[in-house]
Each structure stands twice: as C-alpha cells, then as structure tokens.
Amino acid sequence: MSDTVSKEWYVIHTYSGYENKVKDNIEKRVESLGMEDKIFRIVVPEEKETILTPTGKKKEVNRKTFPGYVLVELVMTDDSWFVVRNTPGVTGFVGSHGGGSKPSPLLPEEINFILQQMGLSNVVDIDIEVGDYVRVISGPFVDMEGKVVNLDLHNYKADVMIELMGRETKVELELYNIEKF
C-alpha cells in the first residue's frame, strides 16, 4: 500500500475523559521526535455550552462533541502512524481494519462540517457546481446519475435531479455521497 502524500484528517479513539491529555501527549511527541512536517493539527471536538450554576449564575463550559475521540491532521506515513498510534492514551485509529492496516481518512466535507461547528475553518475545495452532472457513490441511490440543481455549501448538501421509476425526481444528497463526472 503506498503512503498518502497529502495531509488528511484522521480520527483516533482515546479513553473517555483523556482527550486533552492525549492531545498534549501527541503534541509533545511531535516536537520531541521532529514530526512537525508530518503531523499538524490535533483537535479535541468540543462546543461551548452555557450552564446554570447551583447559585443561579450562567457559566460557559466546553462540552466534548465526540467524547473519547480526537482529530489529527497528518500525512499518513509509517512513521506518523506509529507515533500517533503509540501515544499513551490512544487506543487506536477509527477506520483501521486491524492487523496493522492504515486507517481511512475523514472525507473533506466531514472534517469541514466538524471544524465549522467548532468555529474553526478548513479549506476544502468543492469541485461541484449547479448544472454539473454527478454520480451517486454511496447511500440508497448509489450508481445513479443526475444533474445538480441546487447547492447548500453551508450544510454540505446538493439537490440532484435523478430518474426514479421513470420520473425526474429531486433528491437531497450529502456532498460526500456524490462525485462529478
């Protein structure tokens, strides 16, 4: 299997409650092992939440969006994979099929959505425009083809006209479920 040459986002599993500790551990290992050119951003997905204290005061706290998970942006090589996988508190990569296999990265639309929810940004090129013809690559309409009639980039969705039971039907699809052809 050839190594990925571009940086992509991966999800690692940790013990719940140790997400920030794992983030710190990875950052220290990246620095001490000189992996700054292979391992980039480490993010603990969380969002601000306002709670009421027992005294009746409002307080903002950070709530983990995905407890037990940390996002890591890296170039997948044997070295970067080994460094992250063997960091104390990391129980494994999500999307790895075991037996030493490399995991699958998050789709650009997935990481973009997560980062936007956190108020962060990630530059993702969406190569689809209204009027483009696309093929559905996953989901209930897989292998169907159609024309994009509307794009909702904020929510990473597209309205696509497909032929369903002999009629043109508009369906709403996630952008990561379609590809331009």
Side-chain angles (χ1 to χ4, degrees), residues 127-129 132-135 137 148 175 178-181:
D127 188 27
I128 296 173
E129 297 176 3
D132 286 345
Y133 286 89
V134 295
R135 177 178 299 109
I137 56 174
V148 176
L175 289 178
I178 59 176
E179 69 180 4
K180 187 173 163 181
F181 68 89

Side-chain angles (χ1 to χ4, degrees), residues 52-59:
L52 227 51
T53 65
T55 59
K57 294 184 180 182
K58 287 184 180 179
K59 179 181 177 184

Side-chain angles (χ1 to χ4, degrees), residues 24-79:
D24 293 343
N25 285 343
I26 293 172
E27 288 171 344
K28 287 175 188 163
R29 286 176 57 97
V30 165
E31 188 177 331
S32 68
L33 298 171
M35 297 291 291
E36 294 90 347
D37 62 332
K38 298 272 192 270
I39 303 173
F40 305 96
R41 294 186 280 177
I42 298 108
V43 175
V44 176
E46 50 189 18
E47 57 191 13
K48 291 198 182 303
E49 188 176 87
T50 304
I51 62 168
L52 227 51
T53 65
T55 59
K57 294 184 180 182
K58 287 184 180 179
K59 179 181 177 184
E60 274 202 358
V61 296
N62 287 330
R63 183 182 63 79
K64 304 271 187 299
T65 311
F66 304 110
Y69 296 95
V70 175
L71 306 174
V72 181
E73 183 184 37
L74 56 84
V75 174
M76 183 55 74
T77 63
D78 289 341
D79 292 339

Side-chain angles (χ1 to χ4, degrees), residues 78-145:
D78 289 341
D79 292 339
S80 62
W81 179 62
F82 183 84
V83 167
V84 173
R85 193 176 56 128
N86 291 297
T87 298
V90 173
T91 59
F93 276 87
V94 173
S96 179
H97 303 291
S101 68
K102 299 261 174 53
S104 301
L106 284 172
L107 294 168
E109 294 81 10
E110 293 171 321
I111 188 61
N112 225 22
F113 180 76
I114 293 167
L115 293 177
Q116 273 194 340
Q117 295 295 92
M118 294 176 59
L120 304 172
S121 67
N122 191 38
V123 178
V124 171
D125 292 329
I126 305 291
D127 188 27
I128 296 173
E129 297 176 3
V130 171
D132 286 345
Y133 286 89
V134 295
R135 177 178 299 109
V136 182
I137 56 174
S138 62
F141 303 106
V142 69
D143 293 331
M144 296 184 117
E145 298 173 354

